[in-house]
Amino acid sequence: MMSLHEWAERLRAFFRKRELDRELDSELSSHVEMAVEENLRQGMSEQEARRRALVRLGGIEPSKELHRDARGLPALDHLLQDLRYTLRKLRRDRGFALIAVLILGLGIGANTAVFSVVNTILLRPLPLANPQQLVWIAPEIGAPCGFSCETYSADAFEEFRAQNRSFQDVTGYFPFSTVNNERLTVRGEPVPATAVGVVANFFQVLGVQPMLGRLFTADEAQKNSHPVVLLSNAFWKRQFAADAAIVGKAIDLNGAPATVVGVLPASFDFGAVFSPGEKVDFFSPMILDDARHWGNILTLIGRLKPGVSVAHAQAETTLLAPRLYFDVRYPNSKGDYKANLFPLKQYVTGRLRGPLMMLWFAVGAILLLVCVNLSNLLLARAATRSKEFALRSALGAGRMRLVRQLLTESLILSVGGAALGLGLAAAITGLLAHEVSIALPLLGSVRVDAAALVWTLLLASTVAIVFGVVPGLKISAGNLHESLKDAGPGMSEGRRHERVRAALVVCEVTLACVLLAGAGLLLRSFLRVLDINLGFQPARAAAIKLDYSEGDNAEKRAVTFRRILERVQAIPGVEADGMVDYLPLGPNRNWGALTVKGKVYRPGEAPAPLIYVVTPGFFRSMGMSVVAGRDFRWEDTPSTQKVIIINEAVARRLWPNGGAVGRIVRGNGDDLLVAGVVADVRETSVEGTAGLQAYYPATQYTPAGAELVVRTQLPPESLASSVLGALRQLNPNQPAAEFVPLQHIVDHAVSPRRFFVLLVASFALFAVVLASLGIYGVISYSVTRRTREIGVRMALGASPAGVQFMVLRATLRLTLVGIALGIMAAFAAAHLMASLLFGIKPADPLTFAATVAVLASVALVAGFLPASRASRIEPMSALRAN
């Protein structure tokens, strides 16, 4: 083993190579000249004297090599030689190098981008302090009664916070907030803004510290306290030009002053964690005394004490939850709560684990396909270099030396591909981070970070070995004499390579088949999702957030709403308009059970529908069907009979034999006349089942807000300015809120599935292109190698069509073997991804038939060019050439 001193000397000699070589040349020349003089003195001729001197020295070049090995770092020297040689070869073969780097760049780039997404969403901790201690607390998850069943009342929250022993603290936020729910006036211009109410200790529990100012205090959440807000970092930059002196200033919020107490850091994105796809502009402290009797209003999050596990906390809360009061004023409101605890990270991203793992597998298959394709390319290239390798072997190069040379070439190509891939991945992640139409959590923080760089380095190294080692071993194992003899075109040496390349093409077709079948299943599932009858018609309808000040005064509110609807109805092109407080596929709430008057129900038996407060005309504007009875009327006032409209699901639950219209139900403490029955609407999820819904008139009940829905005969975007102008004529404080087509809301709801489908479909397309290139390469090489054979066949009478058929048959033989293997693998993979499918079975025959048809067609196209070339071979020319 060399000492440290010897290492240092060798390293020093490595960097003084030229100087030492000059000294060595001088010294060797001196020795040779002295030996020549000595030989001359012994009577030899000058030529013989020099020859004897060189023989005694053992040759100039071998002596130099021995000296260099003894003084420097031979391994590094050899590596540099290989690198220089490789660069020269690739420079001479630019076309091959560019194609290889491009293919590698696409494969590595896609892998790095997907890894960055997986790392951000699944692997990396939440961007909060000690996120492993944060727990999501909910009575039920995914219950048909919506957000109301996933939240707690103010009284229940305060009791839970006081009585539990597992949490350092518990906090909550108001999940029923909608987009653009506040009006901010800046320089006299009303601006829409999205705000979320939070419990005063919300940011302390999450461990978020303000970038400017301070967090909320407990006093600021007391009744009659002065309004204060905390700005999100993005809103502060966008709306206040990153004013460093914003803290302490008052802003006009809904016509009243509110003081900015702080600005949150850019690293905290509420929407990314709690409401994917939404941007929150500011936060305000919830005054629980004002909201104490609103029902379930708080989503709870707790921070566990150090050393306390989720299981331990679950055991405690399971006992504690039934002792919580919905409303402490009513003793019988105790006992209805449950508590389900989930680590916050699991709740936020857990449902995406399956799709992301599928995506990771797909992109891994792409990388494997890239390796196989490049191995094929390198084998084809190596076949043309067989004489070069044979000569190098004849001159003394060992097998490992040749393998190392080929690995060096693959490593350089890999490094080039990795550099291109990193640029591609950075561009993809940059686009994803700014893409707000995809409702995936944490997507805004996706980036190529240090972990992604390490992953890319690992990929590049692995890829270099995988696609470089097969050609290296194959070439180095060749027969020296046979190679020297068969180096000309069309010789039998290529037969061995052809078999290997054919096997690689079968692998490519197999992988492409798996990806194509998987993409086909996902695409068909997505199309089934788009074909779902939502219960409303999103096409040619749009909604805008409405500002109004009438609040709880039902009579004034009815007058205002009617004037607005009549004014908008007068706009040319408007077909229908109406209002609702919560649009489908957004926040929702529940007001308890509806019961048939006089009937006694068992606990949980009575339907508890989601509640929407609407105006007359709403159902027509949404394209919903009133299947029985009538719509609401402006004559349904607080002084007349309270009315309700229910959906078919509620009607079936209450009156299984029909006849709901005209009956009386008890709901929200009132006797309600069922005025009509409407079709079911998928209110919480496009892919879920339609649940229970009930509609109350905005002329009798207070809505939580107002969304004006306009149905038009024109493209909705063309009416945006007209509608906003009409609203501002009636209310100058109407903010310039976005006029959102309902189709965008639907698209947003299905955006995660669309995201995965697009990516997997892109990978499948890339796989098919690679497979077709592989097929083309092998068949084309085979035609070149068999040129003489084909010439002989044609000379003996084979027709061009017969030759073409022969080549295409060979193409299909390869393809069908790959398809057969691929179908079996795809069938197994489809069952693993069954939970991601919608409306189709994993063994969907149409998808698999289409996969076979596409691959066979692509193979025929790829094989047609060489087949056509083979059919045009002139027999005499082919025979003379060989």
PDB file of all heavy atoms in Angstrom, residues 135 160 166-167 304 308-320 339 341:
ATOM      1  N   VAL A 135     -51.248  16.507  13.948  1.00  0.00           N
ATOM      2  CA  VAL A 135     -52.272  15.462  13.750  1.00  0.00           C
ATOM      3  C   VAL A 135     -53.563  16.115  13.291  1.00  0.00           C
ATOM      4  O   VAL A 135     -53.963  17.181  13.802  1.00  0.00           O
ATOM      5  CB  VAL A 135     -52.507  14.697  15.071  1.00  0.00           C
ATOM      6  CG1 VAL A 135     -53.662  13.718  14.925  1.00  0.00           C
ATOM      7  CG2 VAL A 135     -51.249  13.964  15.491  1.00  0.00           C
ATOM      8  N   PHE A 160     -62.484  20.074  24.022  1.00  0.00           N
ATOM      9  CA  PHE A 160     -61.430  19.127  23.636  1.00  0.00           C
ATOM     10  C   PHE A 160     -60.052  19.710  23.954  1.00  0.00           C
ATOM     11  O   PHE A 160     -59.164  19.006  24.456  1.00  0.00           O
ATOM     12  CB  PHE A 160     -61.532  18.827  22.137  1.00  0.00           C
ATOM     13  CG  PHE A 160     -60.566  17.801  21.651  1.00  0.00           C
ATOM     14  CD1 PHE A 160     -60.790  16.446  21.849  1.00  0.00           C
ATOM     15  CD2 PHE A 160     -59.399  18.179  21.009  1.00  0.00           C
ATOM     16  CE1 PHE A 160     -59.886  15.494  21.408  1.00  0.00           C
ATOM     17  CE2 PHE A 160     -58.489  17.246  20.575  1.00  0.00           C
ATOM     18  CZ  PHE A 160     -58.726  15.896  20.770  1.00  0.00           C
ATOM     19  N   SER A 166     -52.966  14.602  25.592  1.00  0.00           N
ATOM     20  CA  SER A 166     -51.980  14.097  24.634  1.00  0.00           C
ATOM     21  C   SER A 166     -51.344  15.197  23.798  1.00  0.00           C
ATOM     22  O   SER A 166     -50.276  14.998  23.228  1.00  0.00           O
ATOM     23  CB  SER A 166     -52.638  13.081  23.679  1.00  0.00           C
ATOM     24  OG  SER A 166     -53.128  11.980  24.401  1.00  0.00           O
ATOM     25  N   PHE A 167     -52.010  16.330  23.715  1.00  0.00           N
ATOM     26  CA  PHE A 167     -51.551  17.376  22.796  1.00  0.00           C
ATOM     27  C   PHE A 167     -50.938  18.548  23.553  1.00  0.00           C
ATOM     28  O   PHE A 167     -51.426  18.941  24.624  1.00  0.00           O
ATOM     29  CB  PHE A 167     -52.716  17.889  21.944  1.00  0.00           C
ATOM     30  CG  PHE A 167     -53.284  16.853  21.013  1.00  0.00           C
ATOM     31  CD1 PHE A 167     -54.370  16.080  21.393  1.00  0.00           C
ATOM     32  CD2 PHE A 167     -52.718  16.638  19.760  1.00  0.00           C
ATOM     33  CE1 PHE A 167     -54.886  15.120  20.543  1.00  0.00           C
ATOM     34  CE2 PHE A 167     -53.230  15.677  18.900  1.00  0.00           C
ATOM     35  CZ  PHE A 167     -54.310  14.920  19.300  1.00  0.00           C
ATOM     36  N   LEU A 304     -48.928  16.983  19.005  1.00  0.00           N
ATOM     37  CA  LEU A 304     -48.713  16.007  20.073  1.00  0.00           C
ATOM     38  C   LEU A 304     -47.590  16.444  21.001  1.00  0.00           C
ATOM     39  O   LEU A 304     -46.641  17.116  20.584  1.00  0.00           O
ATOM     40  CB  LEU A 304     -48.351  14.651  19.469  1.00  0.00           C
ATOM     41  CG  LEU A 304     -49.456  13.926  18.678  1.00  0.00           C
ATOM     42  CD1 LEU A 304     -48.866  12.738  17.939  1.00  0.00           C
ATOM     43  CD2 LEU A 304     -50.566  13.488  19.613  1.00  0.00           C
ATOM     44  N   VAL A 308     -45.449  11.270  22.713  1.00  0.00           N
ATOM     45  CA  VAL A 308     -46.801  10.719  22.620  1.00  0.00           C
ATOM     46  C   VAL A 308     -47.053  10.280  21.178  1.00  0.00           C
ATOM     47  O   VAL A 308     -46.843  11.053  20.240  1.00  0.00           O
ATOM     48  CB  VAL A 308     -47.853  11.765  23.046  1.00  0.00           C
ATOM     49  CG1 VAL A 308     -49.261  11.213  22.832  1.00  0.00           C
ATOM     50  CG2 VAL A 308     -47.649  12.151  24.501  1.00  0.00           C
ATOM     51  N   SER A 309     -47.504   9.054  21.017  1.00  0.00           N
ATOM     52  CA  SER A 309     -47.764   8.543  19.671  1.00  0.00           C
ATOM     53  C   SER A 309     -49.190   8.867  19.238  1.00  0.00           C
ATOM     54  O   SER A 309     -50.059   9.186  20.070  1.00  0.00           O
ATOM     55  CB  SER A 309     -47.551   7.024  19.642  1.00  0.00           C
ATOM     56  OG  SER A 309     -48.528   6.398  20.435  1.00  0.00           O
ATOM     57  N   VAL A 310     -49.413   8.754  17.934  1.00  0.00           N
ATOM     58  CA  VAL A 310     -50.763   8.970  17.411  1.00  0.00           C
ATOM     59  C   VAL A 310     -51.719   7.927  17.994  1.00  0.00           C
ATOM     60  O   VAL A 310     -52.868   8.235  18.328  1.00  0.00           O
ATOM     61  CB  VAL A 310     -50.747   8.909  15.874  1.00  0.00           C
ATOM     62  CG1 VAL A 310     -52.162   9.013  15.312  1.00  0.00           C
ATOM     63  CG2 VAL A 310     -49.879  10.024  15.300  1.00  0.00           C
ATOM     64  N   ALA A 311     -51.247   6.697  18.121  1.00  0.00           N
ATOM     65  CA  ALA A 311     -52.103   5.629  18.661  1.00  0.00           C
ATOM     66  C   ALA A 311     -52.522   5.941  20.095  1.00  0.00           C
ATOM     67  O   ALA A 311     -53.683   5.732  20.477  1.00  0.00           O
ATOM     68  CB  ALA A 311     -51.358   4.295  18.600  1.00  0.00           C
ATOM     69  N   HIS A 312     -51.575   6.447  20.879  1.00  0.00           N
ATOM     70  CA  HIS A 312     -51.908   6.804  22.269  1.00  0.00           C
ATOM     71  C   HIS A 312     -52.932   7.930  22.288  1.00  0.00           C
ATOM     72  O   HIS A 312     -53.905   7.891  23.053  1.00  0.00           O
ATOM     73  CB  HIS A 312     -50.632   7.228  23.006  1.00  0.00           C
ATOM     74  CG  HIS A 312     -50.879   7.666  24.416  1.00  0.00           C
ATOM     75  ND1 HIS A 312     -50.919   6.780  25.486  1.00  0.00           N
ATOM     76  CD2 HIS A 312     -51.116   8.901  24.936  1.00  0.00           C
ATOM     77  CE1 HIS A 312     -51.164   7.449  26.603  1.00  0.00           C
ATOM     78  NE2 HIS A 312     -51.277   8.743  26.301  1.00  0.00           N
ATOM     79  N   ALA A 313     -52.691   8.948  21.443  1.00  0.00           N
ATOM     80  CA  ALA A 313     -53.629  10.071  21.395  1.00  0.00           C
ATOM     81  C   ALA A 313     -54.997   9.609  20.909  1.00  0.00           C
ATOM     82  O   ALA A 313     -56.033  10.079  21.390  1.00  0.00           O
ATOM     83  CB  ALA A 313     -53.074  11.155  20.473  1.00  0.00           C
ATOM     84  N   GLN A 314     -55.020   8.676  19.950  1.00  0.00           N
ATOM     85  CA  GLN A 314     -56.292   8.160  19.443  1.00  0.00           C
ATOM     86  C   GLN A 314     -57.057   7.457  20.566  1.00  0.00           C
ATOM     87  O   GLN A 314     -58.286   7.615  20.698  1.00  0.00           O
ATOM     88  CB  GLN A 314     -56.027   7.191  18.286  1.00  0.00           C
ATOM     89  CG  GLN A 314     -57.269   6.530  17.720  1.00  0.00           C
ATOM     90  CD  GLN A 314     -58.164   7.516  16.989  1.00  0.00           C
ATOM     91  OE1 GLN A 314     -57.836   7.987  15.919  1.00  0.00           O
ATOM     92  NE2 GLN A 314     -59.308   7.837  17.589  1.00  0.00           N
ATOM     93  N   ALA A 315     -56.336   6.678  21.363  1.00  0.00           N
ATOM     94  CA  ALA A 315     -57.003   5.973  22.464  1.00  0.00           C
ATOM     95  C   ALA A 315     -57.632   6.966  23.432  1.00  0.00           C
ATOM     96  O   ALA A 315     -58.765   6.754  23.912  1.00  0.00           O
ATOM     97  CB  ALA A 315     -55.983   5.087  23.180  1.00  0.00           C
ATOM     98  N   GLU A 316     -56.936   8.050  23.719  1.00  0.00           N
ATOM     99  CA  GLU A 316     -57.491   9.032  24.663  1.00  0.00           C
ATOM    100  C   GLU A 316     -58.696   9.755  24.060  1.00  0.00           C
ATOM    101  O   GLU A 316     -59.734   9.909  24.705  1.00  0.00           O
ATOM    102  CB  GLU A 316     -56.421  10.053  25.042  1.00  0.00           C
ATOM    103  CG  GLU A 316     -56.925  11.019  26.103  1.00  0.00           C
ATOM    104  CD  GLU A 316     -56.138  12.329  26.133  1.00  0.00           C
ATOM    105  OE1 GLU A 316     -55.334  12.560  25.217  1.00  0.00           O
ATOM    106  OE2 GLU A 316     -56.364  13.118  27.061  1.00  0.00           O
ATOM    107  N   THR A 317     -58.537  10.199  22.789  1.00  0.00           N
ATOM    108  CA  THR A 317     -59.621  10.967  22.174  1.00  0.00           C
ATOM    109  C   THR A 317     -60.852  10.109  21.895  1.00  0.00           C
ATOM    110  O   THR A 317     -61.965  10.626  21.854  1.00  0.00           O
ATOM    111  CB  THR A 317     -59.145  11.621  20.863  1.00  0.00           C
ATOM    112  OG1 THR A 317     -58.571  10.617  20.028  1.00  0.00           O
ATOM    113  CG2 THR A 317     -58.117  12.689  21.126  1.00  0.00           C
ATOM    114  N   THR A 318     -60.643   8.812  21.700  1.00  0.00           N
ATOM    115  CA  THR A 318     -61.803   7.927  21.520  1.00  0.00           C
ATOM    116  C   THR A 318     -62.689   7.944  22.760  1.00  0.00           C
ATOM    117  O   THR A 318     -63.923   7.886  22.674  1.00  0.00           O
ATOM    118  CB  THR A 318     -61.325   6.496  21.223  1.00  0.00           C
ATOM    119  OG1 THR A 318     -60.546   6.508  20.024  1.00  0.00           O
ATOM    120  CG2 THR A 318     -62.489   5.541  21.063  1.00  0.00           C
ATOM    121  N   LEU A 319     -62.050   8.039  23.907  1.00  0.00           N
ATOM    122  CA  LEU A 319     -62.819   8.127  25.152  1.00  0.00           C
ATOM    123  C   LEU A 319     -63.346   9.529  25.392  1.00  0.00           C
ATOM    124  O   LEU A 319     -64.438   9.715  25.942  1.00  0.00           O
ATOM    125  CB  LEU A 319     -61.929   7.704  26.334  1.00  0.00           C
ATOM    126  CG  LEU A 319     -61.405   6.261  26.305  1.00  0.00           C
ATOM    127  CD1 LEU A 319     -60.440   6.023  27.453  1.00  0.00           C
ATOM    128  CD2 LEU A 319     -62.575   5.284  26.364  1.00  0.00           C
ATOM    129  N   LEU A 320     -62.566  10.520  24.949  1.00  0.00           N
ATOM    130  CA  LEU A 320     -62.925  11.903  25.251  1.00  0.00           C
ATOM    131  C   LEU A 320     -64.030  12.438  24.343  1.00  0.00           C
ATOM    132  O   LEU A 320     -64.928  13.175  24.792  1.00  0.00           O
ATOM    133  CB  LEU A 320     -61.662  12.778  25.112  1.00  0.00           C
ATOM    134  CG  LEU A 320     -61.832  14.287  25.314  1.00  0.00           C
ATOM    135  CD1 LEU A 320     -62.399  14.587  26.689  1.00  0.00           C
ATOM    136  CD2 LEU A 320     -60.503  14.998  25.122  1.00  0.00           C
ATOM    137  N   ALA A 339     -63.847  10.824  17.191  1.00  0.00           N
ATOM    138  CA  ALA A 339     -62.582  11.469  16.805  1.00  0.00           C
ATOM    139  C   ALA A 339     -61.714  10.460  16.070  1.00  0.00           C
ATOM    140  O   ALA A 339     -61.455   9.358  16.559  1.00  0.00           O
ATOM    141  CB  ALA A 339     -61.848  11.999  18.030  1.00  0.00           C
ATOM    142  N   LEU A 341     -57.964  10.272  14.282  1.00  0.00           N
ATOM    143  CA  LEU A 341     -56.692  10.990  14.219  1.00  0.00           C
ATOM    144  C   LEU A 341     -55.830  10.435  13.090  1.00  0.00           C
ATOM    145  O   LEU A 341     -55.727   9.212  12.931  1.00  0.00           O
ATOM    146  CB  LEU A 341     -55.938  10.878  15.553  1.00  0.00           C
ATOM    147  CG  LEU A 341     -56.262  11.906  16.646  1.00  0.00           C
ATOM    148  CD1 LEU A 341     -57.740  11.905  16.990  1.00  0.00           C
ATOM    149  CD2 LEU A 341     -55.412  11.661  17.875  1.00  0.00           C
TER     150      LEU A 341
END
